[in-house]
């Protein structure tokens, strides 16, 4: 499941600088004003100029990291946050921001340690507890993750994202009925959330309720039609319901998006067997197992040439 990630706070206790003539603002105030206006490249350049002269300015390194993070430069942002932490190792905001950056980069152990330290040094809000839970779930420490999600919900009981994360952790622990109960709550709060719909369908399918799972997969796919994992999940569910023509349409589109999708070819083989077409099924299995010679387009891709957009691979973890 894709996990909610809060927007990093660059300073929780400082208020935006009052607007005034640019000439009367200090460089720090100008940079803050640009940051507040969302003009991150300009703010970043100004913070870089400030830090050239004030290398031990922890807040400046933190705010530069925030700007770079918002610009999509997570690795550069992380380097700034690390410099800020060396100067202010007990600052809860900087620890939280560093953890968020690690989280974004998929470095879950490092993110967890930063969030835990932020909690020790005073930060104890629902979002931080949620993010600790996210890290623990990613580290397969499911029972601990569930505990932190419950702590988060004690502070913010109607946070749909946290409820959805709790449901995902319960499902991860194969506690299906509890997961379904949480997902029903999450769907009431987030009726058009792609991840919630997909995860609810997975839980219902695990309970054998394919007729309830299929429409949820369909709704999720309508939100993100290029998502190959959900498309595969949906097709497999339709196969279990013997809705073969619908399953074929879903699979054909999956294989149009990614002609080398092995699981897609495997499922299509199963489908054609169910339809009483063993020769066609055998051809699909051969494609799944790599026994069919690659097409001209696929050979080009393997040589490093760009494929048409419809042939690019997409990945979505469920």
């Amino acid at each position: 499941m894709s996990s909610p990630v809060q927007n990093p706070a660059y300073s929780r206790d400082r208020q935006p600088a009052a607007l005034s003539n640019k000439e009367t603002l200090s460089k720090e105030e100008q940079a803050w004003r640009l940051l507040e206006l969302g003009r991150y490249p300009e703010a970043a350049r100004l913070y870089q100029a400030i830090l050239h002269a004030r290398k031990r300015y922890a807040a400046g390194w933190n705010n530069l990291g925030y700007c770079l993070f918002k610009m999509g430069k997570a690795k550069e942002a992380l380097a700034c946050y690390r410099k800020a932490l060396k100067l202010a190792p007990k600052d809860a905001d900087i620890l939280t921001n560093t953890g968020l950056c690690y989280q974004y980069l998929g470095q879950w152990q490092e993110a967890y340690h930063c969030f835990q330290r932020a909690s020790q040094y005073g930060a104890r809000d629902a979002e931080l507890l949620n993010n600790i839970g996210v890290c623990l779930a990613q580290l397969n420490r499911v029972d601990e993750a569930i505990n932190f999600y419950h702590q988060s919900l004690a502070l913010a009981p109607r946070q749909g994202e946290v409820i959805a994360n709790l449901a995902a952790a319960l499902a991860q622990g194969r506690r299906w009925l509890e997961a379904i109960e949480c997902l029903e709550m999450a769907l009431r709060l987030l009726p058009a959330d792609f991840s919630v719909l997909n995860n609810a369908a997975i839980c219902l399918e695990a309970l054998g309720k394919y007729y309830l799972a299929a429409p949820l997969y369909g709704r999720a796919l309508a939100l993100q039609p290029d998502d190959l994992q959900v498309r595969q999940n949906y097709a497999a569910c339709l196969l279990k319901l013997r809705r073969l023509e619908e399953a074929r349409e879903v699979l054909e589109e999956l294989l149009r998006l990614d002609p080398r999708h092995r699981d897609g070819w495997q499922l299509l083989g199963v489908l054609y067997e169910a339809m009483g077409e063993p020769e066609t099924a055998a051809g699909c299995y051969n494609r799944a197992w790599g026994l069919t010679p690659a097409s001209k387009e696929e050979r080009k891709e393997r040589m490093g040439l760009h494929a048409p957009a419809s042939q690019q691979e997409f990945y979505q973890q469920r």
Side-chain angles (χ1 to χ4, degrees), residues 265-293:
W265 284 111
Q266 181 79 17
L267 274 177
L268 194 58
V270 172
L271 184 147
Y272 277 116
E273 272 198 289
M275 295 177 73
E277 300 183 34
E279 291 183 5
T280 307
C284 294
Y285 290 139
N286 285 339
R287 290 296 297 270
W289 300 332
L291 301 177
T292 301

Side-chain angles (χ1 to χ4, degrees), residues 1-56:
M1 175 174 178
S2 57
S3 305
V5 179
Q6 69 188 88
N7 289 327
Y10 32 87
S11 177
R12 290 181 181 160
D13 56 358
R14 178 170 179 176
Q15 296 300 314
L19 301 181
S20 60
N21 293 329
K22 186 173 181 180
E23 291 76 11
T24 66
L25 295 175
S26 68
K27 282 187 177 180
E28 288 83 354
E29 289 170 326
Q30 290 178 43
W32 180 263
R33 175 180 174 182
L34 290 167
L35 187 151
E36 284 293 299
L37 293 171
R39 293 161 63 177
Y40 303 118
E42 297 170 74
R45 286 192 292 272
L46 195 47
Y47 276 120
Q48 286 166 341
I50 294 167
L51 290 163
H52 184 73
R54 296 179 59 191
K55 292 182 170 59
R56 298 190 60 79

